[in-house]
Amino acid sequence: MTKAQAHLFAPRPAALRTQPSSWNAPQGSREGAGANPPNGAAFTYHLADKPEGPFTVEVLDGAGRVVRTLTSELKPQYTLPDHPDWDPDDDPEPELSAKPGFNRGAWDLLYEEAEWIEGARNDTGGRGPGPWALPGDYTLRLTVGGTTVTQPLRLTPDQASTARPEDRAAQFEFLLEQRDRMT
């Protein structure tokens, strides 16, 4: 490995998996629970030093469009402690660790969420996730300070799914349009 500020290792191919809608929702108490591996495409990166400011890993589709941005900066919470819907057990963390050395990150295979209107409410809040990515070739782009490193990422189809690729593509386009309309 070189003495570069940042290095992004080649990720393994990731497989789409059919998951129930409550897959990522907490179920009961978290006390004593172990940690499962991350859902989606896991990747490893190395930081020579703690970065001066926030950094990102962008996911680009086959046409080079950014479909998701992960950041080392803590994103603002939708529901704050002074709101009745606030979850006191919620302990948000940045999507990417900024500690020097080896780090792991994961893209959950979802496109970016809809943008939200500050103060607006939909049930208990939240915008809902973006659509699931389609199988194909993507690129991970790590940018730390003046250093940018890319690695290809292959997304393979869900082998358990009986959905036809053209139906999946039509569903994806519909959900992307709904996300954009919500924004």
Side-chain angles (χ1 to χ4, degrees):
M1 191 166 79
T2 66
K3 288 292 232 177
Q5 168 59 25
H7 182 79
L8 179 62
F9 294 88
R12 291 182 175 182
L16 289 163
R17 301 232 189 307
T18 304
Q19 301 172 348
S21 61
S22 63
W23 183 264
N24 290 323
Q27 304 292 319
S29 171
R30 297 178 198 160
E31 188 173 334
N36 289 325
N39 294 324
F43 54 88
T44 303
Y45 59 98
H46 182 271
L47 301 174
D49 301 301
K50 184 171 177 61
E52 293 290 322
F55 65 93
T56 61
V57 171
E58 295 170 304
V59 181
L60 291 77
D61 66 11
R65 294 179 296 249
V66 176
V67 301
R68 183 75 180 271
T69 301
L70 307 174
T71 180
S72 64
E73 192 169 40
L74 185 61
K75 291 184 177 179
Q77 291 182 271
Y78 186 76
T79 303
L80 298 174
D82 63 346
H83 193 276
D85 291 333
W86 179 68
D87 179 0
D89 291 331
D90 193 17
D91 189 17
E93 293 182 9
E95 297 163 310
L96 301 173
S97 172
K99 69 177 177 46
F102 290 94
N103 294 280
R104 297 277 287 166
W107 170 41
D108 59 9
L109 309 183
L110 295 172
Y111 272 52
E112 215 54 75
E113 301 173 320
E115 293 178 24
W116 46 295
I117 300 168
E118 192 170 333
R121 290 283 172 223
N122 176 9
D123 294 327
T124 59
R127 326 167 248 195
W132 288 97
L134 293 173
D137 293 317
Y138 293 81
T139 300
L140 297 178
R141 179 169 61 197
L142 169 66
T143 304
V144 180
T147 303
T148 299
V149 186
T150 62
Q151 286 288 351
L153 171 66
R154 178 87 180 136
L155 247 143
T156 61
D158 181 355
Q159 297 301 313
S161 175
T162 58
R164 297 180 315 162
E166 56 270 21
D167 291 339
R168 185 99 166 87
Q171 178 189 43
F172 171 79
E173 290 300 326
F174 173 76
L175 293 173
L176 200 57
E177 177 187 342
Q178 296 310 303
R179 181 208 62 184
D180 293 345
R181 289 179 72 192
M182 185 179 289
T183 292

